[in-house]
């Protein structure tokens, strides 16, 4: 439910029960056995975080339902269960076999009360787990982590969009420069064509002794024609 409401997209921003790295290689332990992290959260720049959520709350439920006299013993069992799972995660060494992973795995305790009860029962629990590359997190912590990851992906998208806009703008500017250059070239050719046209027209019809006036003189000598040319000025 937390993942569904986080805004992150499955198989894009995170993968559940992954058996392969992003490059297609199998996630295997030191003895070659298959490893299957509960969730791998992809981060920008190719990094990732591992979250394990297989913490048992059976002992904590027994502790909640126990009588006052039985609660100390049940709390000890709950703490033992948490420590056993820390040991299991430490042995699996997920960060060693999941490529580009952070150097720790987050152990999700899916109940705030169970998380606090374990920490209160052993004030050294969190630190000792951390030194074994296991970070204990509660639902409140996970929500914060998910929000942080969502913000990272949002900023990454915005940055990439800004870079794409900058690249497209640069290409557009280059196209505009080339277009202006082409227009200037066309203008220069048009100017040359205009000058050439005016020179040719002058020789043909407007200049002194132009072709049209000479032809018109010939017509006036008696050549029969169906049409009459307009001679230019001499």
């Amino acid at each position: 439910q937390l993942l569904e409401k986080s805004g992150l997209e499955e198989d894009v921003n995170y993968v559940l029960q992954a058996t392969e790295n992003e490059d297609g290689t199998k996630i295997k332990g030191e003895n070659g056995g298959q490893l299957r992290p509960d969730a791998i959260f992809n981060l920008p720049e190719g990094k990732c975080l591992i979250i394990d959520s297989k913490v048992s709350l059976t002992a904590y439920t027994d502790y909640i339902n126990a009588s006052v006299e039985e609660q100390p013993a049940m709390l000890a069992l709950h703490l033992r269960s948490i420590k056993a799972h820390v040991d299991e995660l430490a042995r699996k060494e997920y960060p060693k076999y999941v490529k580009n992973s952070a150097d720790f795995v987050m152990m999700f305790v899916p109940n705030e009360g169970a998380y606090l009860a374990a920490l209160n029962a052993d004030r050294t629990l969190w630190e000792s787990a951390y030194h074994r590359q296991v970070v204990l997190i509660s639902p409140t912590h996970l929500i914060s982590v998910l929000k942080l990851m969502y913000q990272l992906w949002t900023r990454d998208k915005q940055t990439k969009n800004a870079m794409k806009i900058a690249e497209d703008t640069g290409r557009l500017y280059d196209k505009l420069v080339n277009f202006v250059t082409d227009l200037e070239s066309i203008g220069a050719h048009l100017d040359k064509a205009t000058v050439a046209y005016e020179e040719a027209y002058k020789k043909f019809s407007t200049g002194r002794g132009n072709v049209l006036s000479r032809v018109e003189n010939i017509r006036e000598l008696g050549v029969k024609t169906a049409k009459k040319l307009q001679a230019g000025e001499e």
Side-chain angles (χ1 to χ4, degrees):
Q1 291 176 347
L2 290 175
L3 290 176
E4 289 174 356
K5 296 176 181 179
S6 68
L8 299 172
E9 186 176 352
E10 186 174 357
D11 296 329
V12 176
N13 305 124
Y14 67 90
V15 181
L16 299 178
Q17 300 294 320
T19 58
E20 296 180 348
N21 290 296
E22 284 195 340
D23 62 2
T25 58
K26 296 291 185 181
I27 302 175
K28 294 184 177 181
E30 186 175 0
N31 60 2
Q34 178 70 62
L35 296 177
R36 191 189 298 267
D38 291 331
I40 297 178
F41 288 92
N42 299 319
L43 299 174
E45 308 302 330
K47 301 297 182 180
C48 67
L49 293 175
I50 304 168
I51 293 185
D52 177 271
S53 63
K54 297 188 180 73
V55 176
S56 172
L57 296 181
T58 301
Y60 176 71
T61 301
D62 292 341
Y63 162 70
I64 293 298
N65 295 325
S67 64
V68 174
E69 293 78 12
E70 295 175 328
Q71 280 190 339
M74 295 296 102
L75 180 57
L77 289 177
H78 171 56
L79 179 60
R80 188 184 305 171
S81 174
I82 294 292
K83 287 184 174 181
H85 199 65
V86 170
D87 291 341
E88 181 183 354
L89 286 180
R91 285 195 302 269
K92 286 183 177 180
E93 297 182 296
Y94 280 133
K96 183 177 179 180
Y97 302 108
V98 176
K99 292 186 177 181
N100 300 317
S101 167
D103 61 358
F104 59 87
V105 57
M106 290 186 287
M107 175 177 151
F108 177 56
V109 181
N111 180 282
E112 206 75 31
Y115 173 82
L116 294 174
L119 293 187
N120 287 330
D122 184 350
R123 297 303 177 92
T124 67
L125 176 62
W126 197 97
E127 185 176 358
S128 62
Y130 177 75
H131 286 310
R132 302 183 68 188
Q133 296 179 303
V134 178
V135 175
L136 299 177
I137 61 172
S138 68
T140 299
H141 296 142
L142 181 57
I143 290 173
S144 299
V145 170
L146 294 177
K147 286 184 176 180
L148 176 60
M149 285 192 283
Y150 180 78
Q151 290 174 357
L152 288 174
W153 277 113
T154 299
R155 291 185 180 181
D156 181 70
K157 183 177 180 180
Q158 290 172 344
T159 300
K160 289 179 178 177
N161 285 344
M163 293 174 62
K164 182 67 166 56
I165 290 171
E167 291 174 0
D168 289 346
T169 301
R171 284 193 289 266
L172 178 61
Y173 179 83
D174 292 340
K175 290 286 186 182
L176 181 59
V177 170
N178 292 335
F179 181 67
V180 171
T181 301
D182 290 343
L183 284 180
E184 291 174 346
S185 177
I186 291 171
H189 284 85
L190 286 176
D191 289 341
K192 292 179 180 179
T194 299
V195 171
Y197 169 79
E198 290 175 349
E199 288 295 325
Y201 188 77
K202 181 178 180 181
K203 292 177 182 178
F204 184 72
S205 64
T206 63
R208 185 179 297 278
N210 64 74
V211 175
L212 286 182
S213 62
R214 291 178 180 277
V215 172
E216 182 62 21
N217 291 337
I218 294 173
R219 188 190 67 77
E220 290 177 353
L221 292 175
V223 176
K224 292 183 179 181
T225 62
K227 297 182 180 180
K228 180 180 179 180
L229 290 168
Q230 298 294 325
E233 297 179 355
E234 297 185 359

